[in-house]
Amino acid sequence: GLGKGSDLEKAFATAALVYNNAADPEGKLSKAETKSLLQTQFQGFIQGQENKPKYREIISTLDEESEKKIDFEDFMILLVSLTLMSDLLQEIKNVKTTK
């Protein structure tokens, strides 16, 4: 339904689709599944973050109480958090400013 959507709309629709394909029938993901999904689908943004305290904090939160589940809203907050601290975001910003 987003054939004529903007790039941003398509990006969010893709995030929702990836999440929904991995989620359980209640629309939630276990923390372990969330960690796995981030590591497989968000690799470019995560790369090089392993030693940063904020990244470790996020991952350790996913490791704790792994039976607890997260919803799409929490998942998007994780994506935004990981994006904001990523080296890739800095590279993207640099590309924009050099044009």
Side-chain angles (χ1 to χ4, degrees):
L2 269 178
K4 294 180 181 175
S6 71
D7 290 345
L8 198 54
E9 287 171 326
K10 288 176 185 173
F12 273 85
T14 300
L17 188 62
V18 168
Y19 178 88
N20 286 336
N21 285 339
D24 66 17
E26 295 173 357
K28 296 193 174 191
L29 280 179
S30 73
K31 288 185 174 182
E33 290 167 329
T34 302
K35 181 179 174 182
S36 174
L37 189 63
L38 290 171
Q39 289 171 333
T40 57
Q41 294 288 322
F42 219 56
Q43 233 171 355
F45 283 92
I46 290 173
Q47 200 165 8
Q49 305 307 304
E50 295 83 0
N51 296 322
K52 292 187 178 177
K54 184 71 179 161
Y55 176 82
R56 287 183 172 185
E57 183 185 319
I58 289 170
I59 294 304
S60 70
T61 301
L62 292 176
D63 287 336
E64 292 167 14
E65 304 176 48
S66 56
E67 72 284 351
K68 283 197 172 178
K69 299 198 171 201
I70 71 163
D71 58 18
F72 181 65
E73 184 179 337
D74 291 332
F75 181 72
M76 291 303 288
I77 291 168
L78 281 174
L79 288 186
V80 170
S81 300
L82 290 168
T83 300
L84 288 174
M85 67 181 176
S86 76
D87 297 330
L88 187 57
L89 181 63
Q90 289 308 312
E91 288 177 33
I92 292 166
K93 284 180 178 177
N94 291 340
V95 168
K96 187 183 184 313
T97 56
T98 55
K99 279 187 177 178

